[in-house]
Amino acid sequence: MTFPVVGMIGGGQLARMAHQAAIPLGVRFRLLADTPQDSAALVVNDVVLGDYRDLDTLRRFAAGCDVITFDHEHVPTEHLRALQAEGVAVRPGPDALVFAQDKGLMRARLDALGVPCPRHRLVADPADVVAFAAEGSGFPVVLKTTRGGYDGKGVWVVRDEAEAAEPFRAGVPVLAEEKVDFVRELAADVVRSPHGQAVAYPVVESWQKDGICHEVTAPAPDLSADLAAEAQALALRIAGELDITGHLAVELFQTRDGRILVNELAMRPHNSGHWSIDGAVTSQFENHIRAVLDLPLGDPRPRARWTVMVNVLGGDYPDMYHAYLHCMARDPGLRIHMYGKDVKPGRKVGHVTVFGDDLDDVRERARHAAAYLRGDITE
């Protein structure tokens, strides 16, 4: 029996974990990576090194694959359209992926669908930012480059016209948004297949610091059933309206007056779904692989009442391996996932997951392990 080959463009940790999910399915994996040291390139057997921005490289890579998917949104849309026109199965397709690539297009499309979002508009210069602020409740204002940002990069919170000058130096359009007075951030993760089957994971709470996700709790504590259902239904509607194949993460603000507003979209496995590797019947990565191959989707339900995932960020302690002894001995139920990356301050190098029936206990154990691996604590 010949099993299909999934081609993953991008060699980061998302590709690494997707490969892990493909192994028990018998699905073969091909990787387009920048360097042999990329996180996924260290573990995938079939690796092609090349520039994802070069169409001929993409063509050669796609020739050995049954379907193409991504661990980032940065492949030029026109290249993906060219591949698709040549008969390559690209999932999600370029007409969907463009709304994750360009925040301006994303906001316009969500507006057309009547999806609740923060007040926003494209701005031309710092003076236009001042005008945008005056149209609402004033400064501070959030500015985002429409393309290229991630993990807090390409996002500024500005308090006056002088501070508003920096984002325009990138030379790409700038989107202004109101700074939402939110209670917390949520994420609704869904997966959709080409024939329209879709599943929704429990809505999670995510805690961000400096634009980087630090902690995810599944399901979101004290979230009403009605609001959770609204968030899941909204994510499923967006996935259907945009004709997305694969995993969609809808990042949300929960406002103080009880609403949810869409912050960002990600059309790939996402940090908000890492908990599902250990905490769900079927992980986001396995369901993404199933979806792009149009296989029946797996059960997204959680295995335990609570699951907490905490990211391990690099600090001043480069040798994390020796911290394993303490973490594993202290907590045999702890799950550690490392990405094979060199440790650099603030860089995501892994995550830990704990699940169980007592939220306080689960959260403390996950936080302790991540802090010990970072070197923040020594006992």
Side-chain angles (χ1 to χ4, degrees):
M1 181 180 295
T2 301
F3 281 76
V5 177
V6 171
M8 177 67 75
I9 297 177
Q13 65 263 24
L14 300 180
R16 181 184 178 107
M17 289 182 274
H19 172 251
Q20 179 185 8
I23 292 171
L25 297 176
V27 171
R28 293 184 291 165
F29 213 78
R30 194 170 198 225
L31 184 73
L32 180 61
D34 292 334
T35 76
Q37 288 73 45
D38 285 0
S39 177
L42 298 173
V43 296
V44 175
N45 180 55
D46 186 0
V47 179
V48 175
L49 299 179
D51 187 348
Y52 63 83
R53 295 163 296 188
D54 179 71
L55 180 56
D56 288 337
T57 298
L58 293 172
R59 284 187 173 122
R60 289 192 296 269
F61 175 73
C65 306
D66 292 286
V67 64
I68 296 297
T69 191
F70 315 92
D71 94 330
H72 61 71
E73 294 101 345
H74 305 311
V75 182
T77 312
E78 61 272 20
H79 291 357
L80 297 179
R81 290 200 173 105
L83 292 178
Q84 198 172 56
E86 294 164 9
V88 177
V90 179
R91 295 174 177 164
D95 291 339
L97 192 64
V98 69
F99 297 113
Q101 295 173 323
D102 190 306
K103 294 180 176 65
L105 293 178
M106 180 263 290
R107 284 290 183 228
R109 183 73 172 107
L110 294 182
D111 284 348
L113 295 174
V115 171
C117 297
R119 188 178 70 86
H120 60 273
R121 69 171 171 86
L122 293 173
V123 286
D125 52 36
D128 201 13
V129 176
V130 174
F132 173 81
E135 293 163 7
S137 55
F139 285 102
V141 166
V142 178
L143 298 181
K144 301 177 179 180
T145 52
T146 54
R147 286 181 174 260
Y150 68 97
D151 279 353
K153 298 178 177 65
V155 179
W156 295 262
V157 179
V158 301
R159 292 167 178 78
D160 54 37
E161 185 173 359
E163 289 186 0
E166 177 65 26
F168 293 93
R169 297 190 179 107
V172 298
V174 174
L175 179 72
E177 296 183 351
E178 66 173 313
K179 189 173 186 301
V180 177
D181 183 21
F182 60 88
V183 176
R184 57 179 170 176
E185 294 186 65
L186 305 170
D189 294 281
V190 299
V191 182
R192 181 176 178 272
S193 65
H195 70 272
Q197 184 190 7
V199 296
Y201 287 89
V203 178
V204 302
E205 175 182 332
S206 64
W207 176 59
Q208 318 282 326
K209 182 180 179 183
D210 299 326
I212 299 175
C213 177
H214 277 245
E215 184 175 306
V216 172
T217 303
D222 302 318
L223 182 66
S224 72
D226 287 346
L227 203 57
E230 180 183 338
Q232 289 176 315
L234 182 62
L236 289 168
R237 183 163 78 87
I238 292 171
E241 293 281 3
L242 302 188
D243 195 23
I244 292 167
T245 294
H247 183 272
L248 169 68
V250 180
E251 297 181 76
L252 301 160
F253 294 125
Q254 182 181 355
T255 67
R256 296 191 184 278
D257 57 2
R259 296 173 296 137
I260 51 173
L261 302 175
V262 173
N263 180 24
E264 301 277 1
L265 301 179
M267 298 176 196
R268 51 170 171 74
H270 189 257
N271 208 159
S272 62
H274 288 359
W275 68 274
S276 65
I277 298 174
D278 304 302
V281 175
T282 311
S283 77
Q284 66 163 345
F285 296 98
E286 181 176 336
N287 263 335
H288 183 77
I289 295 296
R290 290 190 188 204
V292 300
L293 291 171
D294 208 10
L295 296 170
L297 300 181
D299 189 342
R301 287 179 298 178
R303 295 181 181 273
R305 183 178 179 186
W306 301 106
T307 303
V308 173
M309 186 281 313
V310 180
N311 277 323
V312 178
L313 303 181
D316 297 325
Y317 185 63
D319 190 358
M320 293 185 175
Y321 184 73
H322 289 290
Y324 281 19
L325 177 62
H326 167 84
C327 292
M328 292 178 177
R330 183 179 188 268
D331 190 352
L334 174 72
R335 306 294 295 172
I336 300 175
H337 299 261
M338 302 303 291
Y339 305 152
K341 294 180 172 182
D342 292 335
V343 177
K344 298 178 182 179
R347 187 187 199 187
K348 290 180 187 174
V349 294
H351 72 266
V352 298
T353 308
V354 181
F355 55 86
D357 294 330
D358 185 323
L359 177 57
D360 290 338
D361 172 68
V362 167
R363 184 176 281 154
E364 187 280 328
R365 289 159 57 197
R367 288 175 176 174
H368 178 278
Y372 195 93
L373 289 167
R374 286 193 303 266
D376 293 347
I377 58 176
T378 57
E379 61 180 9

